Amino acid sequence: MDEQAMITRDLALRLCANATEFDQGWIEADAKIVVPFAAPRDTALIHRVVAAGRALGVERLLVGRTRAEFAYEPVTEVAADTASVVHVIRSWGDEPTDVLVAVEDFSAAVLVTSTTLTVAAGPPDFLRPLVGPDLESARTAFAEEARDSRDPELLRAAQAYNCLEPGARHARTPRGPGPDLAERLAVRARSLQEGSPGAAAVLRALRGGWAWAMLAVLLVAPFFVPATAAALPAAAGMLWLVAQLAWLSRSRTVAFSTLVRVLLLGALLVWPLAVAEDALTAYAGVDRWVAYTYVAVWVEEAGKLLPLLLVGLPARRRFRRLAAVDYLLLAAASGAGFQAAETLLRALPAGGAAALPFPGPAAFLPGAVAVPELGVHFSGHGVLTGLVGAALGLAVVGRRSGGAWLWLLPPAAFALAVLQHMMFNAAVAEAALGSPLEPHPATAVLYGFTGGGTADRWLLLFLLVCAVLLDYRAARCAAAVTPPLPGHPPLPGLRRRAYGRAIRLGVRVPGDIAPVFRRAALLWAHAPLRLALTLSDMLHEAAVMLAAARRGPAVLGTAWRFLRERRAYAMGAARSGERPWRRFPTREDLRSTEHRLGATLFGAAAGAFVLVAVCAAADAYGPAGGFHAHAAASPGGTPFAAYAAEALRHAADWYRALPPSALPWVWAWWAALLTLPAAGWSVPRAYPDAESFLREPSRMAGRVLEAAAPGQVPYAVAGLAGLLLPSVVERPLRRR
């Protein structure tokens, strides 16, 4: 508190709208969570208030009365212990009054009215000692109490703090927009699984059988058409890139199966973008160097972002609940698919053999093309498009908290992608065509200033970390409506010290300095706190996954789905603000899954699971790293530029040169490439168990195919490996 004593009027005007209600502007300033509750006026309530203050690491509390007749009394600064607060309240006399208890930087406060109504506002760590770890249940319970008691004060508080919808006293479920096409399909699929489990099992078995058959086609086709051997290396390299980004994106809400389908969609974009490149080149009447350097670059960099729009057409409600890293992942998957198709088409020999090395399993974000003799480096379509998607996600999700300046990031990222792509194409086209043309000298200087493409992967990793921090911050702001995770958050001491440091430094920042210096000082004060909270939240999710992994693949799959759907629910609530939004899955479904998962994790040990035998064929990988320039070379030894039209013409020439006996294998090969990524990549909902194997061993093959398509094998391997984990991995997950 300032050297000059603060009076009650100043404190109340900062935090309160009136004597018994918090100010909405103060609540919205830092996206504070508000939980009203009814409690008797006794020492136990004061003890909980003090515990809430200590959870933020503060040693002093501000205590004052909010009524107008006490406006010029000084605010009392007391030690954060029950005896001190009780002593101050008793010194006011026996007449009931309204009491406001706040922390020094006004980031959290408790308003204790003269009746049974109490309102707490602040971060989740401040609210848990007051109302329990489940904030959503506390708000729901208060709404039910207000509705049942019909107390005007409680009903007004429930509506003011959005525990009840305004004007909907009779409504017990929130209203919102109707479902989109993707949600309708998901509901119908769930109805089929519940209403006709036999038919659903048959369809899943057929899906698994078809996927394994298509994988067999990809493995056998090279014996009859040797050029088709390039399919698996090209696809595996880009799939590995998407898998790396998906694993690092700890706040993602899109399923990995969706990313694989977007990868396929990006691969299919090669044909329409090639047609557009040829049409624009013919319309403009430019030479091949200009087509390589300018036309192809702008068409491809813009066209690779089309899947972001196409995903939003059938799932427009879901698109509004995307996290910041989801934009990065969808864009990177589209770019990776485009590069896989481009690389595969160029690897098809037309008039000569062509070998295609591919990244090893240790390559980080593979797909780069380096041409040392030309002095250029191309980071790959997946990385460049991922940069644009990351910038777009930061702007869309962070525009409210970070400001409108974040909208400068997408154009800057797109310009960087165009610059990297253009310089690579220009150098390669100049070497291939012998053209004397060169880009503008300023372009070359800017290209060198950005690292010549070598720093793109690390820039993408930096933006990914920023997006994860932003997503977890947004999810914490929606803790009031999101079911909690099982157990207590880990690292309570680190969270408490980080809160205390932020409050101590934040209260020292003057309010009359220049805004830019004030924002910088507050960023220095709050940055360690946000890092600590994000680390704790990530460790909490990891602890849930490890504890679930020890109980078998089925429980681990349930935990994976619950964590992803819970993040999507939280992002929907955070991004919607005060607007109505589509809750899918419903809060009741999430709550039911959370109860079942908690009972499993903190209940008896896992039952027996049948170990499904999984055989994985390991291919011989080449040296770790990116695609090298000699991977797809023209007859003259010069690498092709990143030009989709050229790749498509090259593939057409190869197809026309095939003998008729090879065509059926090529058609089957194309069918496998188109259908294998489309299904069989989601987390299985059920695995074969020992009881089913002992009773009906003849149906075991069908049950294995239901849950072990090629794309589902890693899930089964992870679940089976979890059974071998020691019990010590469950220690961070403490029972609530």
Side-chain angles (χ1 to χ4, degrees), residues 537-555:
D537 293 340
M538 292 174 61
L539 289 179
H540 196 178
E541 292 187 351
V544 172
M545 286 188 288
L546 289 175
R550 291 194 68 245
R551 285 153 178 81
V555 180

Side-chain angles (χ1 to χ4, degrees), residues 615-626:
C615 298
D619 294 320
Y621 285 91

Side-chain angles (χ1 to χ4, degrees), residues 501-544:
R501 176 188 179 277
I503 292 173
R504 288 191 300 271
L505 295 181
V507 77
R508 297 175 185 172
V509 178
D512 56 351
I513 61 176
V516 61
F517 296 116
R518 177 172 173 81
R519 284 195 294 267
L522 292 178
L523 178 63
W524 171 256
H526 292 128
L529 171 62
R530 294 173 183 173
L531 290 174
L533 294 179
T534 301
L535 177 61
S536 177
D537 293 340
M538 292 174 61
L539 289 179
H540 196 178
E541 292 187 351
V544 172

Side-chain angles (χ1 to χ4, degrees), residues 13 22 137 205 283 344 417 452 467 504 528 604 606 631:
L13 289 177
F22 281 125
S137 290
Y283 177 78
L344 174 60
R504 288 191 300 271

Side-chain angles (χ1 to χ4, degrees), residues 373-520:
E373 58 271 19
L374 298 180
V376 291
H377 181 278
F378 182 62
S379 300
H381 289 292
V383 172
L384 292 182
T385 313
L387 284 173
V388 181
L392 184 61
L394 290 173
V396 171
V397 178
R399 66 185 186 275
R400 293 180 180 174
S401 59
W405 70 270
L406 287 175
W407 283 110
L408 298 176
L409 292 180
F414 185 80
L416 175 63
V418 168
L419 175 66
Q420 305 284 8
H421 197 170
M422 183 175 62
M423 290 299 296
F424 176 78
N425 275 19
V428 174
E430 180 182 356
L433 304 175
S435 174
L437 299 176
E438 293 183 359
H440 194 276
T443 305
V445 172
L446 185 60
Y447 179 71
F449 178 75
T450 58
T454 57
D456 293 341
R457 292 185 302 174
W458 308 110
L459 178 59
L460 178 62
L461 185 61
F462 173 75
L463 293 181
L464 187 149
V465 172
C466 294
V468 169
L469 292 173
L470 178 62
D471 290 339
Y472 274 106
R473 181 187 180 189
R476 284 192 296 272
C477 296
V481 296
T482 308
L485 291 173
H488 280 293
L491 305 178
L494 177 63
R495 298 167 70 103
R496 184 167 53 250
R497 288 191 294 271
Y499 270 117
R501 176 188 179 277
I503 292 173
R504 288 191 300 271
L505 295 181
V507 77
R508 297 175 185 172
V509 178
D512 56 351
I513 61 176
V516 61
F517 296 116
R518 177 172 173 81
R519 284 195 294 267

